[in-house]
Amino acid sequence: MIRRPPRSTPKPSSAASDVYKRQTFEEVLLKGLADDGGLYIPTEWPEADISKLKECNSFIDIAKLIVPLFTESSYKKEEVVTLLENTWHDFEKSDLVGIKKINEDIFIGELFHGPTAAFKDFGLQLCAAFFNKALEKNNQTAIILGATSGDTGSAAIDACKEYKNIKTFMLLPEGNMTDIQRKQMTTVNQENVFVLNIKGTFDDCQDIVKSAFKDKSFLKHDQVLLAVNSINWIRIIGQICYYFYLGMQINNFSKELCFSVPTGNFGNVFACYSAMKLGLPVKKIAVAVNENDILHRFFSKNLYKKELVNETLSPSMDITVASNFERLIYDFYLERDAETCKNFFDNFPNSPISLSEDVWKKTYDLFCSSSIGDMETTEIMKKIYQDFNYVVDPHTAVGLCVSKIFGGPISSDLVVLSTAHPGKFLDSLKLAEIPTFEKHHTLSEVLNKDEYSYSLEADQDQVFNFIKRNNH
Ligand SMILES: *Cc1c(COP(=O)(O)O)cnc(C)c1O
């Protein structure tokens, strides 16, 4: 078993074992996770053409130069360009991303202007558009089965709901989701969308999803099961685009930027790292986490060890392991030594991961990190409101504890990514004593709509039977 079959055009080579075989873009799209449990990553990093990017005027222009770098093994460039013209929809800003300069050094990259008011619309709308393209081409239909404890579910449902060849079943655990986050899913009320309240934890839900990928007995013969979780490589491609967009808008790639990224599963940070590998001038990446600090423990102490989950004010970052982190270990630290990487992750979480000191030292060339508690989160929300009359959500606030994360003054322009709209987290706004905020175009409607969902035990047979009954 070898992890990480690389993506892109198959190269006939008798020496390559099956799992090392290069996969096409479409294979990676439809498979999600490699057969051995490894994560996909491009065989080699493509190079973005910065001189062409400098001439771009819009987010879509940028996407047209970035996305085709990854898709050529399956689709002609012109096809992808056409797809991209219709991919991102229902954003409240014509250019999708907002940029707010709050002082001399700090820009906020607003990624929450999409229909579900969190940055996940960027990745999941791209994913859904390619799912639809592949299904039409292969004459297939699909079931999407996902588990969500925050914003993935709503973004996936919204991105897929208009595609008639896709049925979405979303498992919601009991727990720390805001009313608005839940209602964004339960109020959709479309024939091809099923929201299942599961009497169990997020891990129970994920286990059911995992066994579904082994079982698949509920599928019809021309049907495929698709994954939308955070290790999905196509989501990362969608996110790489906004890093280039920010670089273009802020200084047209003339100077390195620092990025502060509030993160949980490390997908958004890995997209930033990927953008840098493609050629975006990046000086530092600040990894900002809440009290679920496995990443901060690694970056500050060289110890990647699973602990129990803490419920925080930034629920979309409440994780115990950062599922995309393996990609960074493989590419950045181990310089693509697949065997060593496989050993680490085959034995994880039973054995925590520590790299040899001289390998781990590389961290400071590129990364810094901090863990921010709930108190600090509300304090910074309050302070940003008082100082700049600007309202941020608790996830963004974690990324805005800049002096703590950088441990001193920053030396380049800093972009803090704003991952969600504050209107999703009303209780946190109250705690921070913020009386008012600019409304998001979709959020207030959601509160007054009827909810449609089904309640099931955390039992895979119940879930599979439910899918079977509704799969006609
Ligand atoms: C999902 C999510 C995050 C964490 O994203 P990663 O890709 O795991 O870094 C942060 N903020 C919000 C609002 C989210 O929905």
Side-chain angles (χ1 to χ4, degrees), residues 195-207:
V195 178
L196 311 182
N197 295 308
I198 301 295
K199 297 195 188 71
T201 62
F202 178 67
D203 287 345
D204 294 335
C205 293
Q206 284 232 291
D207 287 344

Side-chain angles (χ1 to χ4, degrees), residues 148-152 171-183 185 197-198 200-203 205 290-292 309-319 374 394-395 424-428 431:
T148 186
S149 57
D151 298 319
T152 299
L171 310 184
L172 272 54
E174 294 171 318
N176 192 24
M177 197 181 293
T178 68
D179 274 0
I180 293 186
Q181 282 181 305
R182 187 191 68 252
K183 285 188 181 176
M185 293 179 260
N197 295 308
I198 301 295
T201 62
F202 178 67
D203 287 345
C205 293
N290 63 25
E291 277 158 30
N292 296 287
V309 72
N310 294 306
E311 293 203 345
T312 72
L313 294 177
S314 42
S316 303
M317 311 197 300
D318 290 350
I319 50 84
D374 279 352
H395 302 80
K424 274 187 141 168
F425 303 96
L426 301 177
D427 291 345
S428 297
L431 283 175

Side-chain angles (χ1 to χ4, degrees), residues 117-120 150-152 181 230 235-236 239 242 261-270 288 295 314-319 322-324 393-396 417-421 424-425:
F119 78 98
K120 293 189 170 73
D151 298 319
T152 299
Q181 282 181 305
S230 72
R235 282 177 64 175
I236 308 253
Q239 294 173 226
Y242 56 66
V261 188
T263 190
N265 270 319
F266 207 68
N268 207 359
V269 184
F270 198 76
L295 287 165
S314 42
S316 303
M317 311 197 300
D318 290 350
I319 50 84
S323 43
N324 276 287
D393 95 293
H395 302 80
T396 308
L417 294 193
S418 181
T419 52
H421 188 277
K424 274 187 141 168
F425 303 96

Side-chain angles (χ1 to χ4, degrees), residues 302-423:
N302 190 11
L303 183 62
Y304 189 73
K305 180 166 182 266
K306 183 174 173 170
E307 307 255 345
L308 295 176
V309 72
N310 294 306
E311 293 203 345
T312 72
L313 294 177
S314 42
S316 303
M317 311 197 300
D318 290 350
I319 50 84
T320 55
V321 299
S323 43
N324 276 287
F325 188 56
E326 185 178 337
R327 289 187 164 120
L328 191 80
I329 294 279
Y330 174 67
D331 192 72
F332 178 69
Y333 288 103
L334 298 178
E335 294 169 4
R336 301 203 165 214
D337 172 354
E339 282 304 306
T340 307
C341 189
K342 166 182 145 47
N343 282 335
F344 277 134
F345 284 91
D346 279 352
N347 297 316
F348 184 81
N350 292 339
S351 314
I353 295 173
S354 284
L355 303 178
S356 68
E357 278 299 305
D358 55 320
V359 170
W360 175 77
K361 271 200 323 252
K362 275 180 82 168
T363 299
Y364 298 108
D365 298 347
L366 185 58
F367 294 101
C368 56
S369 72
S370 190
S371 158
I372 311 295
D374 279 352
M375 286 267 280
E376 290 162 289
T377 304
T378 41
E379 270 162 31
I380 197 99
M381 287 172 74
K382 206 172 184 172
K383 186 163 165 38
I384 298 286
Y385 177 65
Q386 285 166 351
D387 293 358
F388 306 110
N389 194 25
Y390 182 71
V391 181
V392 295
D393 95 293
H395 302 80
T396 308
V398 167
L400 266 163
C401 281
V402 170
S403 50
K404 184 164 173 192
I405 306 168
F406 284 84
I410 40 165
S411 55
S412 287
D413 285 339
L414 170 67
V415 188
V416 178
L417 294 193
S418 181
T419 52
H421 188 277

Side-chain angles (χ1 to χ4, degrees), residues 139-142 220-224:
N139 237 328
Q140 289 173 313
T141 63
K220 295 193 284 194
H221 77 279
D222 61 346
Q223 204 169 36
V224 289

Side-chain angles (χ1 to χ4, degrees), residues 52 61 63-69 71-84 133:
K52 277 198 193 151
D61 281 355
K64 285 178 183 174
L65 292 176
I66 299 296
V67 179
L69 298 172
T71 55
E72 60 180 12
S73 56
S74 297
Y75 305 116
K76 289 202 229 32
K77 182 161 183 205
E78 305 77 70
E79 285 178 274
V80 175
V81 164
T82 309
L83 175 142
L84 292 171
K133 182 170 181 62

